[in-house]
Amino acid sequence: MAFTRATGKHRRPGRIHRGTARAAGVAALTGSGVVGSLAAPALAAEPAAAQTGITPVVTLGDTVADRIDAQAAAQHEAAREAAEAEARKAAEEAAREKAAKEAEKVRAEKERAAREAERERLNAFVSPIPGSYVSTGYKTGGAVWSSGSHTGVDFHAANGTPVQSVGAGTVVEAGWGGAYGNQVVIKMHDGTYTQYGHLSSVNVSAGQQVTPGQQIGLSGSTGNVTGAHLHFEARTSADYGSDLDPVAYLRAHGVSL
């Protein structure tokens, strides 16, 4: 059977066509791992890109691309974890600072409350014999007193009744006091003085600090008396003759009589 050639001219593929075909072949060989042994010589024989004007195209294989993607994902994850760790560290530091400030605030509040309680304790006053009453008033006249009048008040009390300091202070005298019998004199926290006379016994000593309501002795009938009771005086100094109205003194300090 005879074959006839088709009309028209038949030409060899141009440079552009050949370069593109070879680039596709290189890409295929690269994916299959053959490019190192076979493609290189073929590429070396081709004209340079500058001569042909065609840039060769090389496509990476799936394994290499996956490796790059995994590396990028790992770097992204590491950066995310580092950011989260830094955020946690900052949050923990802020929490520690907040806790420290709260603790300091609580400590300062406790100290303030303690100081306030101490001030209240030092400024508190009580009756020398709780539940008792004044049996002989201040400035009562009579020959029984050397000054001609009573320089204090007498609280009704049976022999051996506990006697307490009316406030905070320092004992300046404790022992025998002549006509007052066994006595205790206390310099009070506010600078005034109080005296407790005719005691059957004394439970404190000079120089001792006492607090409001602290027992300092027991009532009795020692000294110049006609019966058991407590003689109580308030003074501006430790000396006889500087007396104040004891009832007014105690009431001014919040004591109800």
Side-chain angles (χ1 to χ4, degrees), residues 77-89:
E77 180 65 16
R80 184 188 65 80
E81 291 178 353
E84 290 181 352
E86 187 65 24
R88 285 195 300 271
K89 181 179 178 181

Side-chain angles (χ1 to χ4, degrees), residues 64-80:
V64 176
D66 289 346
R67 187 180 302 117
I68 293 174
D69 289 343
Q71 184 178 11
Q75 291 175 346
H76 177 75
E77 180 65 16
R80 184 188 65 80

Side-chain angles (χ1 to χ4, degrees), residues 40-255:
L43 290 174
E46 286 299 313
Q51 296 176 349
T52 62
I54 302 300
T55 301
V57 178
V58 178
T59 304
L60 296 176
D62 291 342
T63 301
V64 176
D66 289 346
R67 187 180 302 117
I68 293 174
D69 289 343
Q71 184 178 11
Q75 291 175 346
H76 177 75
E77 180 65 16
R80 184 188 65 80
E81 291 178 353
E84 290 181 352
E86 187 65 24
R88 285 195 300 271
K89 181 179 178 181
E92 291 171 356
E93 182 64 23
R96 284 194 294 270
E97 290 181 358
K98 182 179 179 181
K101 289 180 180 179
E102 288 295 328
E104 178 62 21
K105 182 179 179 181
V106 171
R107 184 190 65 78
E109 182 62 24
K110 287 183 177 179
E111 289 184 353
R112 187 199 65 77
R115 289 193 300 268
E116 183 63 25
E118 180 65 10
R119 282 195 296 269
E120 291 180 358
R121 185 186 70 83
L122 293 176
N123 292 327
F125 276 70
V126 297
S127 173
I129 300 180
S132 184
Y133 59 91
V134 174
S135 57
T136 305
Y138 180 57
K139 293 299 184 182
T140 299
V144 69
W145 298 288
S146 59
S147 63
S149 64
H150 203 198
T151 54
V153 295
D154 292 340
F155 280 90
H156 178 269
N159 191 65
T161 301
V163 176
Q164 59 188 22
S165 173
V166 297
T170 303
V171 177
V172 293
E173 293 184 37
W176 188 255
Y180 291 104
N182 293 321
Q183 68 166 357
V184 172
V185 178
I186 300 174
K187 182 178 182 180
M188 309 308 293
H189 179 65
D190 64 357
T192 58
Y193 291 78
T194 54
Q195 180 196 40
Y196 313 77
H198 308 310
L199 303 175
S200 61
S201 65
V202 174
N203 302 137
V204 292
S205 57
Q208 181 177 339
Q209 300 290 319
V210 294
T211 57
Q214 180 177 334
Q215 182 174 318
I216 58 175
L218 300 175
S219 65
S221 57
T222 59
N224 187 15
V225 295
T226 58
H229 66 277
L230 170 68
H231 176 82
F232 175 77
E233 286 191 24
R235 298 174 176 175
T236 58
S237 72
D239 301 327
Y240 176 82
S242 62
D243 49 278
L244 301 168
D245 183 341
V247 173
Y249 174 84
L250 291 174
R251 285 176 176 170
H253 288 87
V255 179

